[in-house]
Amino acid sequence: MSESVLRIDDLSIVYRTARGLVRATSHVSFSLAKGETIALIGESGSGKTTLSLALIRMLPAAAQITSGAIHYTRNGQTRNVLSLSPGDMRAFRWKECAMVFQGAQNAFNPVLRIRQQFADTAAAHGIKDPEVVKARTLELLRLVRLDPQRVYDAYPHEMSGGMKQRALLALGVLLDPQVVILDEPTTALDILTQRAIIDVLNEMQKRLNFSIIFISHDLALAAEMADRVATMYAGEIVELAPVAEMFYRPHHPYTLGLLRSVPKLDQRRDDLVSIPGDPPNLIDPPSGCKFHPRCQFATDHCHQEAPPLVEYTPGHFAACWHTDKVAAARSGFIDLKEVKKDDRS
Amino acid sequence: MATLNPPIRSASSRPPSLTASARLRRLARSYTLRVFAQAVVTVWAVITFTFFLIRLMPGNPVDVYIDFLMNQQNITYEEARARAASQFKFDPDANIFVQYGEYMGRLIQLDLGESITSTGTRVIEQIARFLPWTVFSVGLGLFISFILGVTIGTIMAYLRNSWLDNLFSLLASILGAVPNYIWGLLILIVFGVQLQWFQVGALRGTYNSSLTPGFNLTFLLSVLTHAALPVLVYVLGSIGRWMLNMRNSTIGTLGEDYVSVARARGLPPSRILLAYVGRNAALPMFTLLAIDIGFIIGGSVIIEELFVYKGIGSFLFWSISQRDYTSMQGVFLVITISVVFSNVLADLLYSQLDPRVRVGGGEK
Amino acid sequence: MVSQAAPTHERIIQTAPPRLMEGLLRPLRVFWRALRQNPVGLVGFSGLLCYALLITVGPLLVPFDNIVRLDQIAAPPGSRQVLLTRAEDAARYTTLESLAGRTVGYVRETGGEAFLRDYLRANPDAFQTEDTRWRSGRGVPDAMQALADGEIDALVVFSESVKRFIPHDPATPFTNLVVSNPALGAPHLLGTDTQGRDIFSHIVNGGSALIYTALLAGFFSSLIAVTLGSLAALIGGVVDNVLTSIANFVLTIPGFPLLVVLASLITLNNMVLLAALIGALSWPVLMRAVRSQVLSLRERDYVEAAVALNLGLPHIILREILPNMMSFVAINFIFAVTSAMYQQVGLIFLGMAPINDYTWGVMLYFGRTRGTLFSADSALMVLAPVLAIAFFQVSMVLFARAVEEMFDPRLRTAK
């Protein structure tokens, strides 16, 4: 966890719509270390997917990056992804940073065999030797616990959803990228398949040592996968902390709200609290702290001035004027014994 | 890549790839078989339908013909009946089902009877004379309109909602809305008669009759110029449908996940356009192809008559206006069979391009 | 439960009438608002309104011209008979009466002949006539030359012919000839046909039979398609298989050749019969679409409820399913009408459908059989109906596309 492979600096993205500018992400900064997994959590529309699409510059035409830089480092060389030429960008995609979209059901071209789609990807990045590609493909298919011979020649429609998701993971690491973005990789899969995918992912990461940006609504999954967690709200990172810190000692009321809204087995139903109010309007966001209209701790200060992202304890950042009140509130909620000790540092 | 461990070829990899592909091939074969079987049943049904239509219709052609012979040549009913029987090749006293059986028997030997008006000419020979021209002109027209329409439709989808797309959409709607023979008339009147860009009379027929058919440039050029107007009209009449359908299909495909993933995979745009967008968007076009073939061949009756192009369509019209029922029956059968087997061709082409059909079966 | 249900029921009854009115007006208002935002659809809709006016009001205003005027055969568009004189005589010779005792010229086969004959029959000794032969277009300048040279005192000629030679033709400028009476005969907006009849009146009167037949055929086709499609989807099983096979079978038969063959066996002298025949051959595409549509609608709760309540097939089709497919069926109806128009006019053009009404199709037929199509001067006899049919089809399709966009949110957002 030493050198950083990806460093995002002050990234802001807007969408031009008929009703005005939508501020999808505002001043987002964080960095990703080699082999590290960072989870982005937050409601739909909080800017997670926009952020990840920006990393491979696949934002829709209506989107515009208004500020910031994305620094990518490989072998000590650092480049700004946002200033790559179209040709370099094409080479960058998948080779350096692969993105596994949500809904793998349709991620494969239905009229091409799996092997052709692997070969296409390799050929697009200059690897044309069929034997090399075949060997690598079979190996990766085995790594994701698929029957390599069968899947290699199969068409997508001959595979189940879980098989396709695993094949897509294998395709994701085909070119040995340093960063893999996983956008809701397990939605629409049943619970057993989800489990299998997570296991495969962990094993692959151990073997190939890539970094993961993991996007999910599923806090349990995030807790299990991630080294660090970033909470996004209204296009901003409002809290960033090592996974255990985040779940045991949330500093931001929104993170606390998210944690409270997750049902637990031994919890009574009426203890389950959803966050009141609606997601913020991103065209005309609230003044000050964007969360204040929904925040139970909000004061006039929150209304007037946006809180900066401040490091409270080493590695634990939060943007809130009232972390003390949050700390008081969470003590009544989080029972430390309840959460299994995380085995990663 | 180099840092990777070489793959271990596992002995337990169960189904060897050869068996898998062999199984797929067998399935493909069975799909082909099913398509052919359906086509044969359709053809049989059409044959039966026309047979009984012509025999059982009030004022059926046989009776009309007998009447005609009696009046025209002053012969008795029996004589006229015998003449009709020999030309229609049936035994008038036999049960209609026996006649049907004999008719089917002769059909299998490709015997469509003799032409009534030009006695001694076998219908099958006449068909063999006229059919190739229609297959040539209709096929060429369909090919050009398909390729052009699909290409333009793809461009429209990539530039969707631009002024070019709007213009082409409007144009395509207008092209598709106006009947093809109306285009033919417009071209004749405006470019042929008023502007005199070409000699209307000189382009009649299938080739310049002073030339002897053969594989030389003059003859082939003559064939092409004579086919130009019908082909142009077939293209104008159906290109609009290809443009609009391909446009909408491509817009749908561009929104598919696999296209975004292909871009994320860093595939070159040309590869994405052809193998990922184009190929998937074009798939539904092949089911439309089947419908369009029938439509164009049907329309060829008017178009060939309009341009005096001696193909099977104008022969059908000729045989009807001459009340040459044996020819008519034969030509109608051949037209139907060509449409049915064009459909088979389109189906097979489709199945070659879409692996899901080969295995999935007949859902369309 | 019971005590609660009663007042609810009453309230529904009370509010029903205004709701009904609203229910009828609202779709119209929504339709109009959507149409106003769709210029292409608006063009199509306006076109259709024009055609509706043309076939309903048009015949009342412009009666069908069936008077054979051999002197006006192939009169050019916009033409009428005019009186041409030398400039110095312009004030004297303005009417046929004023020409008493003089010599009046005309060009044979182009105009004037029958016109003057009628006049002379009433006034036998009014004036002398002198004719010039048409001779491939040289007739008119020859006659004008005769007028200029003083061989004749006036010339009865088509206004369009005059326009061609005075003063545009530099070779024969005829600068001293003037039109002294521009309105001797009736004007022909689109010229006249091979019998000297006014083409414009034929265009006005020649649409209704075609359009009504096409509408009827579209109706038959939609009716068959909706009925069979719903039955196939709702009953399923063997019925579904049989109906789908029949649809596939009919779809494969090339419809137009079959229609031509049938037309040779049956006398198609009846509009309803022709419409029924066209309808009977063109339902399969819509039927298959309706079938799949109903199959998906069937899964919806309200249809399932109706099935569970055993409300009967007609009720389910008419009350539950059809209202939900109206837009879809309407669009297909429009396309069925255009296709019926194609087939019908095609049949008439070939001469396979009887010629009871003098329709646009018959005009095309005569254009082909009488060869006017191939003559530069008389092409309008074909061009006029060609354009009338083309614009009708275009209006229909543009309107259908607009309706399609209105109802299909996917297309609307794509727009």
Side-chain angles (χ1 to χ4, degrees), chain C residues 97-115:
Chain C
E97 286 78 19
S98 65
L99 281 161
R102 300 283 159 189
T103 310
V104 179
Y106 63 86
V107 182
R108 263 192 265 161
E109 291 114 11
T110 68
E113 192 170 13
F115 188 78

Side-chain angles (χ1 to χ4, degrees), chain C residues 80-84 155-159 162 179 181-185:
Chain C
R80 68 200 301 169
Q81 299 285 347
V82 299
L83 197 60
L84 194 67
L155 181 66
V156 172
V157 67
F158 280 133
S159 54
V162 175
V179 173
N181 186 338
L184 274 186

Side-chain angles (χ1 to χ4, degrees), chain B residues 161 173 180-181 194 317 320 343, chain C residues 252 260 342 346 376 401 414-415:
Chain B
N161 303 330
S173 293
N180 52 9
Y181 53 82
Q194 304 290 342
F317 179 68
I320 287 172
N343 286 358
Chain C
T252 341
V260 173
Y342 175 96
R401 262 191 59 204
K415 192 68 197 155

Side-chain angles (χ1 to χ4, degrees), chain C residues 220-232 283 286-287 290-291 294 317-318 321-322 325 328-329:
Chain C
F220 282 139
S221 163
S222 306
L223 186 70
I224 300 173
V226 170
T227 314
L228 296 188
S230 317
L231 285 180
W283 53 269
L286 177 59
M287 181 269 187
V290 167
R291 178 180 163 273
V294 172
I317 293 176
L318 292 177
I321 289 193
L322 205 53
M325 302 196 306
F328 176 73
V329 172

